[in-house]
Amino acid sequence: KPIYKDTYHYRGLTRARIGDMSGSIDDLSEAIKRDITNPQLYVDRALSNLYCKRLQQSIDDCNKAIQLKEASEGVYLCMALAENGLNNYENAIKCFNKAIAINQFNAESYVRRALVKSNAKKYDEAAEDYNKALKLDSASAFCYYNMALTAADQKDFNTAIRYYSKVVKLDPFNAVAYYNMALAKAQNNKNKDALEDLKRASLINPDNILIYNTKAQIEHTIKQYKAALEDYSRVIQLFPYHVEAYYNRSIVKETLGDHQGAMQDYNSSKTLSELNRYKSPSQRIRDSSLLIRLSKFNGSFDDNETSFGRIQNRKLSIVFKSVFFVALEDTTNAKKYFANELSSFNAKH
């Protein structure tokens, strides 16, 4: 076991770089025990906490760093992102204001503040910040990307698609832009076009769980059941604890006539759901860290879009008849209800 503070610190940074955020937090916490007045340790742990969505802990670490005279642009940006994640938009804007006061020439700070203002429904103020950012960097794919998110938030999907198109023109290997453009197209009922964008995203990012899950959901919705089955299976292969994927795959299997496979998947989803309830905090952090790695978009922007909530509407809603749940609680008649009721429902949709 390491003795020195620097050993824990450097190992914590290394773990963060390879995506082991749980291990990073553990190491940085050990380093802090050995040097409680080092502000950089709190800054680094704040970032790891942010990636693990331990948002209040991230804010606490930022505040501690500020108390120790580390009131830097980066600290305020980190705290702003955490406050935004907690829907504390006014606090987030104040943090961005302080970051911008320190460095008025960072275009990304204006973009990030604009997105928070959009979250707060201050769309006119957001537009002003986007314009400031474009004056500093007229070819900012990052800015156009967030402008697309703001347009999508206002249900203006045509404008969102236009901005996403600019992003992929400026940055052809930006998987998250293809992903979000697919979602915008799906909202406009252009499902086939959406699937094409998701295929492009999967070529850039072949191990991204969000791409396959969303692709499966769209295929499921438009009754491309065999393709949906393949993509739900890919999700489960990447993350074997994905309750929703097992549940949705069970419905696809039932639709395709695989009653036994459907029951097995449903039972798996039910068992995993129960197991998740009893996981320890450290297990939950490990799961979160793994999902972050599997949700990271290659060819994206500098930080992980997923962690900071810049993926629009990433959960498509597929609603199934409630009798599905009721039937499966009755083990005697489960298969009969499962086959008759669910097949009837699918036939109507």
Side-chain angles (χ1 to χ4, degrees):
K1 189 174 182 180
I3 299 173
Y4 300 108
K5 173 262 297 182
D6 287 345
T7 305
Y8 281 108
H9 188 191
Y10 297 143
R11 190 172 72 177
L13 293 176
T14 300
R15 284 178 163 173
R17 290 190 184 100
I18 64 174
D20 180 10
M21 297 303 170
S22 176
S24 174
I25 291 169
D26 290 342
D27 277 346
L28 292 169
S29 297
E30 289 295 330
I32 287 170
K33 288 179 184 177
R34 289 158 174 77
D35 188 359
I36 62 173
T37 61
N38 186 330
Q40 190 58 48
L41 295 175
Y42 293 99
V43 174
D44 292 336
R45 191 174 67 176
L47 290 168
S48 290
N49 276 322
L50 181 64
Y51 271 88
C52 279
K53 299 186 180 179
R54 291 158 50 93
L55 302 178
Q56 188 56 55
Q57 291 92 328
S58 181
I59 292 168
D60 292 343
D61 279 342
C62 287
N63 279 323
K64 185 64 177 178
I66 291 168
Q67 290 172 15
L68 294 169
K69 311 302 181 185
E70 183 61 29
S72 66
E73 177 192 16
V75 171
Y76 285 117
L77 288 175
C78 178
M79 187 153 56
L81 291 169
E83 292 283 11
N84 180 54
L86 292 172
N87 300 329
N88 296 331
Y89 302 131
E90 293 304 321
N91 288 345
I93 290 169
K94 289 176 183 177
C95 291
F96 279 123
N97 292 345
K98 290 179 180 179
I100 289 170
I102 294 169
N103 181 4
Q104 300 177 28
F105 301 101
N106 186 343
E108 287 193 9
S109 294
Y110 292 102
V111 174
R112 296 176 192 276
R113 187 173 69 178
L115 187 60
V116 175
K117 288 177 177 178
S118 296
N119 291 339
K121 310 303 179 187
K122 297 180 178 182
Y123 296 116
D124 290 340
E125 292 183 26
E128 291 176 7
D129 273 346
Y130 286 134
N131 287 333
K132 289 177 182 177
L134 288 174
K135 285 180 181 178
L136 291 168
D137 184 0
S138 61
S140 171
F142 183 72
C143 186
Y144 284 116
Y145 176 82
N146 284 280
M147 290 171 73
L149 287 182
T150 295
D153 188 52
Q154 297 175 83
K155 311 300 182 187
D156 185 357
F157 298 112
N158 287 327
T159 298
I161 292 166
R162 189 169 74 250
Y163 286 138
Y164 286 133
S165 296
K166 287 189 176 185
V167 175
V168 298
K169 185 175 181 180
L170 290 165
D171 185 2
F173 297 101
N174 194 310
V176 73
Y178 282 113
Y179 176 82
N180 271 0
M181 186 157 60
L183 294 184
K185 288 177 179 178
Q187 294 289 345
N188 273 356
N189 294 317
K190 297 177 180 178
N191 290 310
K192 290 184 179 179
D193 290 343
L195 290 175
E196 286 301 313
D197 284 335
L198 289 170
K199 287 177 184 177
R200 292 188 185 98
S202 69
L203 290 173
I204 300 167
N205 215 153
D207 294 324
N208 184 292
I209 197 170
L210 290 177
I211 294 171
Y212 293 106
N213 196 47
T214 303
K215 188 166 175 281
Q217 289 179 328
I218 293 174
E219 290 160 343
H220 194 165
T221 301
I222 63 177
K223 301 184 179 180
Q224 293 184 7
Y225 296 120
K226 290 183 178 179
L229 179 64
E230 182 177 336
D231 283 325
Y232 282 134
S233 297
R234 179 64 172 145
V235 171
I236 292 166
Q237 180 187 17
L238 289 167
F239 189 69
Y241 314 108
H242 202 296
V243 175
E244 182 187 76
Y246 276 107
Y247 171 68
N248 285 343
R249 191 174 71 171
S250 73
I251 295 179
V252 171
K253 286 183 176 180
E254 176 59 31
T255 304
L256 293 172
D258 181 5
H259 309 311
Q260 183 176 357
M263 286 298 297
Q264 287 174 344
D265 275 353
Y266 173 77
N267 289 332
S268 294
S269 72
K270 192 173 180 181
T271 299
L272 287 171
S273 182
E274 284 296 311
L275 288 174
N276 286 338
R277 292 174 56 192
Y278 298 103
K279 285 186 176 179
S280 67
S282 62
Q283 288 175 313
R284 291 178 187 276
I285 291 174
R286 282 195 293 272
D287 283 353
S288 176
S289 182
L290 176 58
L291 276 173
I292 287 169
R293 290 201 300 275
L294 291 171
S295 301
K296 188 172 182 178
F297 282 90
N298 297 333
S300 183
F301 303 107
D302 288 339
D303 49 2
N304 183 3
E305 308 310 318
T306 309
S307 297
F308 301 133
R310 291 197 295 275
I311 295 179
Q312 64 168 58
N313 306 323
R314 69 181 148 202
K315 185 178 179 66
L316 298 181
S317 178
I318 297 177
V319 180
F320 299 105
K321 204 171 185 180
S322 58
V323 72
F324 177 71
F325 293 98
V326 177
L328 290 172
E329 296 302 320
D330 179 356
T331 55
T332 304
N333 294 307
K335 288 186 178 180
K336 181 178 71 174
Y337 279 107
F338 191 91
N340 294 340
E341 294 293 337
L342 192 58
S343 294
S344 174
F345 173 74
N346 285 331
K348 294 176 184 177
H349 292 73

